[in-house]
Structures are given as structure tokens and as C-alpha cells.
């Protein structure tokens, strides 16, 4: 997913805070290249830039918006910002805005008084109060109900919260960090994020690159994950010689989270040498990584070309119709209309026809 930078930060010729060196070979041992940054790892220029931004903004009290695909480590960056801040000894409180039912977000965020609603048997401190003096991390901020964003904006501007069912304002000194895996500008257009809230949160945006754009960082991370597992279980397991090439060739649509899951599974399946053939998730994802090109014979009817391209693109984005429409430069309605046409055609052709299988697969992924 290409996520545009809200602002551009340049170093103005300033030297990087640490040298950029090639990644160490896969060994399963301690990373001795000096590319650990707290709980983060990165030798690529893209991640070195992220580290530089963290170093600059961490000691301040300004709000930070962390933008990046799912699985790329946004919460780790938030934790690093907190650990390097002046309030590192105070609480770090995280709220996933998409994990709570909409009717509970307000009560959990701002707290509630006893008797405020059915089931409110006691006074409850919200996330803002619990994070007083420290950091509040609002993950997946674009999943917060749009009407609740108005109240959040007021709290950010005044530094005071009012519990649900209460009338007394409570002062809360909190540094707010937020994160989203959506394109912020697209979230604005889709009415998932208020413009005034966006610019209140994005005083200092940090855009996290996906793992596929981080060159040899996959090797650093793989070493780190295997090292953690060896330390946890007291084992000396190491990677097979051919693992490096296999890891570098994978697209990693699930980013660092996918890599970590793969290493954990490989570790469990291996006796002493971790081999690539134990990384089953890689094989399952080869289809997504290999279908980067769709070939057509000269003279193929345009209608058939369009059909194959839509289905292949939908498959590439794992059934996400919105991303498919954006990639093809058409409206979301057009994608729905075409898929409905293909589904009707597939039903006439029968279940054994390839088109029926493709349309069914695409629909099941949504």
C-alpha cells in the first residue's frame, strides 16, 4: 500500500546518526552490526530515516501520527517514542480504536460515573486519566466513530476530559500518539477521519516503510527473532544456508508480523537447522507474489482482457475491492458491477468453469 507522506522532513545535509552497513548473514546469533534501535531493527536508509525522526521528536511533547501498513511495527515505534521521552517513567496506555464496539469507545476513552448507564456499577477511569503524565497511544484512529472524534479533538485542545454521566472537567496531561494503516487523505475523503483532528494529531507524522522496501532488514529481523527464540528456550538453532535468498525473494505482504510468524513456525518445526521448507506461509503467499504480470495473446477481446485484469488485481490485493479499484483507476461501483456480471456469467457456465472458481475465490476473500 502506498501511503503518501503528509509532510517532508529533510536532514539538510546532516549526517546520519549511525552508519549504514550491510546486514549480517543469517546465523541465529546476536546482531553485532549496531542496527538495533530499542526494540526496532533496521539497516536500510528508509528505517535509518525513521530512527532519526524518532530521535528528534521523542523528547518533545507534540502529537505524532504514525502511518504504515498493518504489521510494520507502528506500536513498537510508539513504545520507543515513549521510552525516549521525558515522561518515560509515567504510564504508556494503548487503545485499539477498532477493537472496541462503537458504543463503548467513549466510555473507555473518557471514563464514566457510577450510574451513568445500565451496568455502570462504579466510577471508571478512562484511558486519558490512566495515561495522566504519560503517553496515550490511539491505534487505528480512523476506526474511531466520526462523531466521537469531535469530543476527542476538544480534549486534545483543552487537556480536560469529562466522564460519561459526569459534569466535572478533569485535567489530564497526556502526550497523544496515534497510528493508522490507512492513507490519511483517503480516510478524509471516505469520511473516516475529520480534517481538523488529522492535523491536530499529525503535528509530526512518521511514515513507516513496508518490509518489502527495506532491503536487507528482513535478514536483521530474522536473526533477531531467532535469537529471541533461542534465548527463550535455551537452544542453539541456526538457519540453513539457503534461507537468506528465500527470505529476500519473498514479497512479505504481512510485513514484520508475517516474518515473525514464519520464523516462529520454522523454529518449532526444526530440530537444529531452520530450513525454508518449514516456512509454510511463504508457500501459501507465493501465488500473491508471483502474479505481478498478466499476459494476453494478441487479438484477445477487450472484454476478456478487462475481466482477467480485474480478477488478477483483486487476487493480488486479497479481495480488497477498494484497493483494486484504486489500482485500476476506476470507481468502486465499477468493480462491484463487473463482479456481479462475472458472477452471473459464472453461474451459467457451471461450477467446473475456471471463471466460476475465480469469482468465487475473489468473493470469499472480502
Amino acid at each position: 500500500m502506498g501511503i503518501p507522506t503528509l509532510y517532508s522532513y529533510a536532514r539538510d545535509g546532516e549526517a546520519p546518526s549511525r552508519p549504514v552497513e550491510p546486514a549480517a548473514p543469517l546465523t541465529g546469533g546476536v546482531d553485532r552490526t549496531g542496527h538495533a534501535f530499542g526494540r526496532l531493527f533496521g539497516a536500510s536508509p528508509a528505517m535509518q530515516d525513521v530512527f532519526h525522526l524518532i530521535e528528534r521528536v521523542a523528547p518533545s511533547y507534540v502529537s505524532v501520527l504514525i502511518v504504515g501498513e498493518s504489521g510494520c511495527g507502528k506500536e513498537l515505534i510508539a513504545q520507543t517514542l515513549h521510552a525516549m521521552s521525558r515522561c518515560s517513567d509515567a504510564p504508556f496506555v494503548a487503545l485499539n480504536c477498532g477493537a472496541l464496539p462503537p458504543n463503548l469507545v467513549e466510555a473507555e476513552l473518557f471514563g464514566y460515573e457510577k450510574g451513568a448507564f445500565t451496568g455502570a456499577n462504579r466510577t471508571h477511569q478512562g484511558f486519558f486519566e490512566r495515561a495522566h503524565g504519560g503517553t496515550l497511544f490511539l491505534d487505528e484512529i480512523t476506526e474511531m466513530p466520526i462523531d466521537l472524534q469531535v469530543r476527542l479533538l476538544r480534549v486534545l485542545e483543552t487537556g480536560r476530559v469529562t466522564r460519561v454521566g459526569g459534569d466535572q472537567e478533569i485535567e489530564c496531561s497526556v502526550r497523544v500518539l496515534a497510528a493508522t494503516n490507512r492513507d490519511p487523505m483517503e480516510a478524509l475523503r471516505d469520511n473516516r477521519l475529520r480534517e481538523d483532528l488529522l492535523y491536530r494529531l499529525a503535528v509530526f507524522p512518521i511514515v513507516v516503510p513496508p518490509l518489502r522496501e527495506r532491503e536487507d532488514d528482513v535478514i536483521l529481523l530474522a536473526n533477531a527473532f531467532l535469537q529471541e527464540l533461542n534465548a527463550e528456550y535455551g537452544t542453539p538453532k541456526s538457519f540453513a544456508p539457503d534461507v537468506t535468498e528465500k527470505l529476500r525473494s519473498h514479497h512479505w505482504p504481512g510485513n514484520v508480523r508475517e516474518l515473525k510468524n514464519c520464523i516462529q513456525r520454522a523454529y518449532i518445526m526444526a530440530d537444529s537447522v531452520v530450513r525454508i521448507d518449514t516456512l509454510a506461509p511463504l508457500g501459501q503467499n507465493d501465488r500473491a507474489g508471483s502474479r505481478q504480470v498478466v499476459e494476453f495473446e494478441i487479438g484477445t477481446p477487450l472484454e476478456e482482457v478487462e475481466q482477467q485484469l480485474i480478477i488478477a488485481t483483486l487476487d493480488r490485493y486479497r479481495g480488497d475491492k477498494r484497493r483494486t479499484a484504486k489500482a485500476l483507476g476506476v470507481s468502486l461501483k465499477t468493480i462491484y458491477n463487473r463482479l456481479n456480471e462475472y458472477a452471473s456469467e459464472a453461474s451459467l457456465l457451471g461450477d467446473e468453469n475456471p471463471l466460476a472458481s475465480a469469482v468465487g475465490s475473489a468473493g470469499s476473500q472480502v
Side-chain angles (χ1 to χ4, degrees):
M1 175 178 61
I3 301 178
T5 310
L6 296 176
Y7 305 101
S8 178
Y9 292 95
R11 293 185 178 181
D12 296 327
E14 181 180 332
S17 56
R18 58 188 61 76
V20 177
E21 304 171 6
L26 282 166
T27 62
V30 177
D31 170 42
R32 303 185 184 281
T33 61
H35 295 304
F37 186 86
R39 296 177 62 191
L40 301 168
F41 287 85
S44 65
M47 282 306 293
Q48 291 290 309
D49 286 339
V50 169
F51 296 163
H52 177 75
L53 294 178
I54 293 173
E55 287 177 328
R56 286 292 190 177
V57 75
S60 72
Y61 293 102
V62 303
S63 300
V64 177
L65 178 64
I66 306 167
V67 184
E69 295 180 4
S70 294
C72 65
K74 297 186 291 297
E75 183 164 357
L76 281 180
I77 289 177
Q79 292 172 353
T80 302
L81 285 166
H82 174 74
M84 297 177 64
S85 71
R86 300 177 183 180
C87 57
S88 58
D89 293 333
F92 174 87
V93 180
L95 168 65
N96 188 323
C97 299
L100 291 174
N103 61 321
L104 292 181
V105 175
E106 182 176 16
E108 288 298 328
L109 194 59
F110 306 123
Y112 54 83
E113 297 288 353
K114 181 178 179 180
F117 50 82
T118 303
N121 300 320
R122 60 180 176 81
T123 297
H124 176 73
Q125 284 190 335
F127 279 83
F128 268 97
E129 290 184 74
R130 281 179 264 169
H132 179 67
T135 301
L136 175 61
F137 175 53
L138 301 176
D139 197 10
E140 304 307 340
I141 186 64
T142 54
E143 305 307 313
M144 179 179 290
I146 197 74
D147 55 337
L148 187 56
Q149 293 181 23
V150 178
R151 283 204 61 187
L152 174 61
L153 181 64
R154 175 171 174 76
V155 174
L156 295 178
E157 291 175 344
T158 65
R160 296 174 178 273
V161 300
T162 302
R163 294 174 183 158
V164 176
D167 54 14
Q168 180 182 1
E169 288 190 334
I170 303 170
E171 184 175 354
C172 290
S173 176
V174 174
R175 183 189 190 180
V176 175
L177 308 177
T180 177
N181 61 5
R182 296 180 182 272
D183 179 332
M185 297 308 174
E186 184 176 311
L188 286 180
R189 291 191 297 269
D190 294 344
N191 198 34
R192 302 186 70 97
L193 184 64
R194 289 178 58 93
E195 184 175 14
D196 46 8
L197 179 60
L198 169 62
Y199 290 109
R200 181 64 180 79
L201 292 172
V203 176
F204 195 99
I206 295 178
V207 179
V208 189
L211 186 57
R212 61 183 173 275
E213 296 177 4
R214 290 173 53 181
E215 301 172 0
D216 285 342
D217 284 356
V218 63
I219 308 304
L220 286 174
L221 289 164
N223 271 322
F225 295 147
L226 185 56
Q227 173 193 340
E228 290 177 0
L229 291 167
N230 278 331
E232 181 178 357
Y233 294 103
T235 57
K237 295 183 182 182
S238 60
F239 287 110
D242 65 343
V243 169
T244 298
E245 182 181 353
K246 296 292 182 62
L247 292 178
R248 283 176 173 166
S249 65
H250 185 57
H251 189 63
W252 299 110
N255 291 294
V256 180
R257 184 180 296 123
E258 180 191 359
L259 173 62
K260 185 173 184 177
N261 291 343
C262 286
I263 299 303
Q264 287 178 328
R265 184 180 188 282
Y267 174 90
I268 292 171
M269 297 297 293
D271 292 326
S272 59
V273 178
V274 180
R275 300 185 182 280
I276 196 64
D277 55 6
T278 64
L279 301 176
L282 287 179
Q284 294 171 0
N285 286 324
D286 281 345
R287 183 170 57 94
S290 64
R291 296 190 64 181
Q292 300 297 309
V293 177
V294 180
E295 297 182 351
F296 304 102
E297 184 178 346
I298 295 176
T300 303
L302 288 177
E303 184 176 349
E304 183 179 337
V305 170
E306 179 187 79
Q307 182 185 97
Q308 292 185 36
L309 187 58
I310 288 175
I311 291 176
T313 307
L314 192 66
D315 182 56
R316 169 65 180 83
Y317 290 112
R318 298 186 173 188
D320 190 324
K321 297 181 179 67
R322 188 177 299 278
R323 293 179 65 188
T324 297
K326 184 176 180 180
L328 295 177
V330 298
S331 68
L332 184 59
K333 182 179 179 180
T334 297
I335 295 298
Y336 274 106
N337 289 341
R338 293 295 185 272
L339 289 177
N340 286 335
E341 293 173 6
Y342 304 156
S344 298
E345 181 181 345
S347 65
L348 295 175
L349 294 173
D351 294 338
E352 299 301 322
N353 187 272
L355 177 60
S357 175
V359 173
S361 176
S364 66
Q365 297 171 16
V366 180

